[in-house]
Structures are given as C-alpha cells and as structure tokens.
Amino acid sequence: MPHQLNQNQQYLILVAGVFFLVAYWIFGYDGITFSDDVSYLELGQRFWMGEEVLTDDHFTSRWGAYIFSGLITFLFGYNDHLASLSSLVYYLGAMLLIWKILPNPASKGFFVLFFVSNVYLLHFLTKIYPDAALVFWTALILFAAFYRQQKPLWSALLMSTAFFVGFCTKETIIFLAPLPLMLWWLDFRNKAQRLFYVYFFSSLVIIAIGYLTYFSLKFEDPLFRFKSIQDGHYISPYTYFDKDWKVMLQRISYSPVFTFVERAYWVWFILSVPGIFRAFKNKRDLSLIFALSTICLILGFWFMSTSFSYYNPIYLNPRHLIILLVPFSVNIALESKRWMDNFFWNRFCSLWIAFGGFIAFGALDWKLGTYYILFAGALLLGPKPIKTVSLVILLILPTFISVGYQKHLKNYPHLKEEFTKAMEKSDSSFPLVSHDFLVKSSKVITGNYNKVPQALTLDGFKEKVRLDQQPEEFQVFIYKYYKHAYPEEVNFVNDVNHITENNHYVPVDIFEDKWIKITHFKRVSPLSPFSNSEYAINIKPYSELFSWSSIATGQ
C-alpha cells in the first residue's frame, strides 16, 4: 500500500474493508462451535422472551454478550447465523471508530488491511461470543481516550460506559484498567488538563455503586457477581493452579510466544513493535494511547490471574486474543513506513517473523512455517513496487483458505439437515443418542427453541440401561468433526460398542458419509442366534461399526 494516499483512496479502502467484512459474514459462515456460543444464543432468546436468566452461573451476568444477538433472534427468528449479525455490527463499529481518529490516509489504509485480515477475528465474526463484542468496547475505550482533552465530559462518559458494558460482556476488559492511570500520569507530567479524570472516576464510582446495589437488592449480596466468577472456576486441562510448577513456569515464560506463533498472531505482534518503541520516542498522544493499551493487554494476558483465591493465568485461547488486534493494527498502521522501508526496523521485523517460522517448523507445522518464511521474505527482499501487493496477498489469501477448510471440515448445513431429520424421527420410545456437544446444541442446530428435544447423551442413555428402562430401538448419531474439536469423544464410540454388545442390540440400518454416521439399533432376544437374525442381514458385526479405523477412513 503506498505511503501517499489521497482522500478518495482512503474512503475506497474503508468501503473495501466494510464490504469484505459483510461478504465474509454472509459467505464465510461455517456453523456454531457447539460450545459457549450455544449458551449465549439460548440466554439471549430467554431474555427477550421474558424468562429469568440471571443466576449464580457467571455466564448469565455477561448480558453484554447476548442481549443484542438475542434481540435479533427474537425479532427475526431463532437462527444461529442471523444472531451473529451482532458480531458484524461490533466489528464494523470498532473499525469505523478507529479509522476516524487515525491521522492520515496511509495509516487509515494499513489499519483497515491488518484489522480485517486476521483469520481468528474473521472466524468469530460469524459466532456469538463475548470476545467479538469486546472488540468494540476496547475500540470505544481507546477512541474516548483520544478525545479526553478536547471533550473531557463526553469522552469520560464514553470510556466509563465502555468499561462497564465491557465488564458486563467479559471480565478480560479489566486488562485495560491500568490505561486511565497511565494516561493520568502522562497528563500530570505534561501539565495537561485533567478535568477528564474527575468526570471519568466520578462516573465509574456512580456506576459501581449502582451495580453493587443491584446485586445487593436482588441477591442480598453486593459481591454476588464476583463470587459467581470465583465459583465458576473448575479444574480442567486449561487451568494451571492445579498443575505441576513446571507447567505454570512454562505458561508465564515462553508458552505465550508459542501461542502467538501457532495461532497466527505472530505477524501482528512483531509488526507492532516499531510502533510501540516509536510511541515512547515521539510521545505523540495517539501513538502513546495504543502503545500503552497494547502493553496493558499483553501483560494482562501473560501474567494476570483469573482467580481471587489462587494464581491462575488465563488460558490463551485464540478467541481471547482478538481484542489485541485493535491496538496491534493501529501500532502497525502508524509506523508502516518504518517496518516497510527503514533499514533497521525492516530487518528486525523480517528476522523475527522468520524466527516464528522456525518455531512452527519445530512444531512440525510446515504450512504455517512456510507462511512465516514467505511473509518475512516478501517484507525483506520484495522489490519496492510489488512489496505491498505481496503482503496484501499474504494477508488476505489465508482468510479464504481458512474458511474453505472449515466449511469442508464441518459441512454444517449437512449436519443441520441430517440431525434435524433424525430429531424429528426420535421420541421417548425411539431416542436419538449422540455426542454431548450435539445434544447440548440441539435447539440451536434444529432452529426450534420451544421443542423439548428427544435426544440423549451417552450418560443419559447409560442411566436408562442401569434402571432397565432401555428402549427397544434407538439411533446413534456420530458427527465425525468430533475428531477435530473433541478428540476425547472417542470414548463415546467405545462405550456405544459396549452397551450394544451387552444389551443385545443389533444394527438394522446404517447411513454414513464423510461427515456423519447414523445407525439404527434394535433389541433382539438373547436366545436368537445373531448370525440368523433377520436384522443382521448385510450388516457388519456391530463390534466393528464404531471402530476408530472405520470412522477415520469413512468406511
């Protein structure tokens, strides 16, 4: 992208960025993640239907994550893709806010390019997660910080509101809490106007009093919200306080570096470095705001505990990190001339990006390693006229590859169609048995919020067997995507084998393709020879039906 753009070109790039996000939202949808997004979809629907949603589950207090999406599904129908329109609005709002305060057409152009081209930001564009909403509230905090001298009252109200709603969306917004204090110290040293801080901290105190009073009146405990956060912690593979000290040491030392590399944030991280260093040298207010906010977020993600009772750093899920892309993209944009053309910074960034490639190679991720090497090579060695074009291609191309890969891997429309048909055939005497994550998501998948699903998890079916209430017939629905997202579900396959073998079930019908496998089982008399059973004609022995190899090969 040329460093000299005229006014018309900067608007064209903005329009292109908006169009790209809208098009990605329309055509890049690959389905739900069968996880927290299901909870937020259902909470939003329940809220607008007038049902009680606030409980001691800390998810229910994140109303900023589900009220907007819930309004969309309440007005236009219970649809998982349509609900994610809220995420598109949040992203567009964040991009427009930051674009407005950038100083020149070149920085606006580079900001749009880097903001819209991160594969994880785009992946969650079509999902209902609080992190997508937090992108907007992060941008609003930084937008308000920029206007703190010109419009102290309005910027203070905007920032305090953004912090409050951000906290009611997801608690990670507190990683930005040191920023106002840092800005106050800078303004104090520069003898700048400090009226903003009087308004800001006063409004925060008023909001905090109102917030605590609400919980005191509703739950008779002003600290109810914070206790629910604490009680929401549980031991999992993604907690650290319960692990060996070596695991904790890895987490707070080099593990985040590997996360940034493996999750494709490395380019943004490295290209931000010149902007952060230059901000403290030139001391321009806009540069300092985004440099300081980057430092706050990085330190928060790296070291801050998620618990009040014990030290437990946050698990660095790539979804959590998308709020970093707001300050990252601005740091990159403000100093694009440095990392593109400056002798030192160009080589610094190129070599460190290449270093990320060697880390990826060490992890045997040849595709990602090759990508980093290509990016570093284009940045360092690309002829000046085509360097920008090469980098644009390297940024945008992975977004298309990623969505194509995900859509093929999940084939969500096919899953919806077949799972919905299987649900329609199921009832109490002919239940559908499937993965926990599908049963939990059944209302969202079928698009029927009001129907009570006749689907059982494996534990639910085991309970029926234990009570000798097992049905004469049932269906088993296997979604082969579990091998990618829930590999531990291989036990589901083994347990189904065990139940059918010990309770005299035989398969009478099988439907299978590359993505799903549906088997209809029927109970037979234990006195009937299996080989002569009318139901076993042309059917594989049932001990083989759910073997790992048969699923892996699609046979």
Side-chain angles (χ1 to χ4, degrees), residues 498-514:
H498 182 75
I499 291 172
T500 55
E501 289 174 355
N502 290 319
N503 290 275
H504 313 292
Y505 285 103
V506 296
V508 296
D509 189 31
I510 300 174
F511 171 82
E512 182 175 17
D513 58 28
K514 188 174 182 179

Side-chain angles (χ1 to χ4, degrees), residues 105-131:
S107 62
K108 291 174 187 284
F110 274 101
F111 165 73
V112 171
L113 172 63
F114 278 89
F115 181 73
V116 304
S117 59
N118 182 274
V119 291
Y120 280 104
L121 186 90
L122 293 172
H123 181 70
F124 292 101
L125 168 63
T126 59
K127 310 293 186 291
I128 302 300
Y129 275 97
D131 310 271

Side-chain angles (χ1 to χ4, degrees), residues 231-418:
D231 294 341
H233 284 83
Y234 57 90
I235 293 175
S236 78
Y238 309 116
T239 53
Y240 299 94
F241 68 94
D242 57 305
K243 306 295 191 300
D244 183 85
W245 67 269
K246 295 178 183 177
V247 176
M248 177 70 79
L249 182 61
Q250 292 171 3
R251 167 60 186 83
I252 61 175
S253 56
Y254 63 84
S255 178
V257 174
F258 283 88
T259 298
F260 277 101
V261 171
E262 293 169 354
R263 299 304 186 177
Y265 284 91
W266 189 242
V267 167
W268 280 258
F269 182 86
I270 295 301
L271 293 183
S272 288
V273 173
I276 295 171
F277 272 86
R278 293 285 300 174
F280 291 100
K281 183 176 181 179
N282 61 38
K283 292 182 168 51
R284 285 195 287 266
D285 189 58
L286 181 66
S287 300
L288 282 170
I289 289 170
F290 286 92
L292 291 172
S293 63
T294 305
I295 292 170
C296 289
L297 290 174
I298 289 289
L299 292 178
F301 279 119
W302 209 299
F303 297 110
M304 192 166 181
S305 177
T306 63
S307 171
F308 304 117
S309 301
Y310 39 78
Y311 183 58
N312 185 59
I314 190 172
Y315 169 61
L316 294 181
N317 188 311
R319 166 171 53 86
H320 299 156
L321 299 173
I322 62 175
I323 62 172
L324 274 165
L325 294 169
V326 176
F328 272 177
S329 299
V330 175
N331 293 330
I332 293 169
L334 291 176
E335 294 297 332
S336 58
K337 190 171 180 59
R338 299 281 170 184
W339 54 263
M340 284 280 283
D341 302 326
N342 179 271
F343 181 85
F344 171 78
W345 285 116
N346 178 263
R347 281 152 183 76
F348 173 91
C349 293
S350 300
L351 292 175
W352 277 103
I353 291 171
F355 175 72
F358 290 117
I359 292 177
F361 285 140
L364 301 182
D365 191 335
W366 302 103
K367 293 179 182 178
L368 186 60
T370 302
Y371 173 78
Y372 283 134
I373 296 298
L374 287 175
F375 198 101
L379 183 60
L380 179 64
L381 304 173
K384 198 167 184 179
I386 64 171
K387 179 184 291 190
T388 302
V389 176
S390 302
L391 296 181
V392 170
I393 293 172
L394 286 169
L395 286 168
I396 298 298
L397 186 60
T399 66
F400 292 102
I401 295 173
S402 174
V403 73
Y405 170 76
Q406 285 292 327
K407 291 179 80 167
H408 177 73
L409 181 68
K410 294 173 72 173
N411 200 347
Y412 186 67
H414 177 54
L415 166 71
K416 287 191 72 166
E417 180 183 358
E418 296 300 331

